[in-house]
Every structure is written in structure tokens, then in C-alpha cells.
Amino acid sequence: QVQLVESGGNLVHPGESLRLSCTASADSGITFSINGMGWYRQAPGKQRDMVATITSRGGTNYEGSVKDRFTISIDNAKSTVYLQMNSLQPGDTAVYYCNADLRTYSSRGGHKRVNSWGQGTQVTVSS
């Protein structure tokens, strides 16, 4: 019912920057409100870990190793969350997934809380 589409992943050298974007959209007849969105990453052979999250009001939370290098932001009007990643390191190499905590509303009435994931975008940092 709700889709998340990510973009911005790429191959970069250490020290370079990337900006990831993720936009939420819904099927016809469905509207939604955002409770919060976030970015997670999964390196080969490892579990998926939180990178950064943001509430619709702008409250943020970061994983310790990215706190001084990454910035998460949200544009509620565009239903889009961004992750600005600076000073990228090889250890940042992973598939980055967008997550959204939403409340959906049906044109036929009723609402429910939904947690959705994007398909992932690859970030590779290598010299």
C-alpha cells in the first residue's frame, strides 16, 4: 500500500560525500501521515543496523560512528527523508535501506499503523 523508493547510492572514494533520498508514496485511495523515517544499513554477512532516524517533528538519533559525519533530514511536504553522508570510509560500505513508520488512511474509512522498507541502495566506499 505504501512504497518507499531510495536513490543516491554509488561508488565513491574515501573522504567523499553522498546524499541518499527516500520518498514514500501510496496506492490510489490511500493517504498517510509520517510518524518517523530512518536509514539502516547492512554489510555483507552482517545484520541490518540503524544508521539514523528522524521523527516528523525533526527529532534525530544517530549511530555513534556516523554522528559527526552523517546528517538526516526530512521534508514532510514531499514525504522524503535524506541522508547526507560526508567523510565516507570503507567501513560505511553497505546496502542502505529506508524505513518509514506511517499511519495510513483508507478512502473507505479506517486507519492503521504501517512499517515499510525500501528496496535498498548500494553504497561502496573504496580507493
Side-chain angles (χ1 to χ4, degrees):
Q1 291 182 329
V2 176
Q3 298 81 39
L4 301 179
V5 178
E6 301 132 328
S7 62
N10 211 333
L11 169 63
V12 297
H13 296 125
E16 294 185 340
S17 298
L18 278 176
R19 189 193 196 203
L20 305 183
S21 300
C22 171
T23 299
S25 63
D27 293 340
S28 176
I30 301 293
T31 59
F32 61 89
S33 60
I34 297 172
N35 296 320
M37 299 183 77
W39 291 96
Y40 293 71
R41 65 186 179 187
Q42 187 168 18
K46 295 187 176 181
Q47 67 181 17
R48 189 176 299 185
D49 292 324
M50 186 273 289
V51 176
T53 61
I54 187 167
T55 68
S56 60
R57 296 184 177 183
T60 59
N61 187 36
Y62 293 93
E63 187 271 326
S65 70
V66 309
K67 188 173 184 178
D68 296 326
R69 301 184 293 122
F70 293 6
T71 301
I72 189 170
S73 59
I74 192 168
D75 185 333
N76 288 301
K78 296 182 178 180
S79 300
T80 298
V81 63
Y82 305 96
L83 186 67
Q84 177 66 43
M85 303 186 294
N86 299 329
S87 301
L88 283 161
Q89 304 166 0
D92 296 316
T93 296
V95 177
Y96 284 70
Y97 295 92
C98 175
N99 177 266
D101 177 12
L102 309 167
R103 182 161 295 278
T104 62
Y105 304 87
S106 170
S107 60
R108 296 173 294 178
H111 58 89
K112 62 179 179 180
R113 189 169 184 175
V114 173
N115 189 277
S116 294
W117 290 92
Q119 80 287 352
T121 185
Q122 178 69 47
V123 172
T124 302
V125 185
S126 176
S127 56

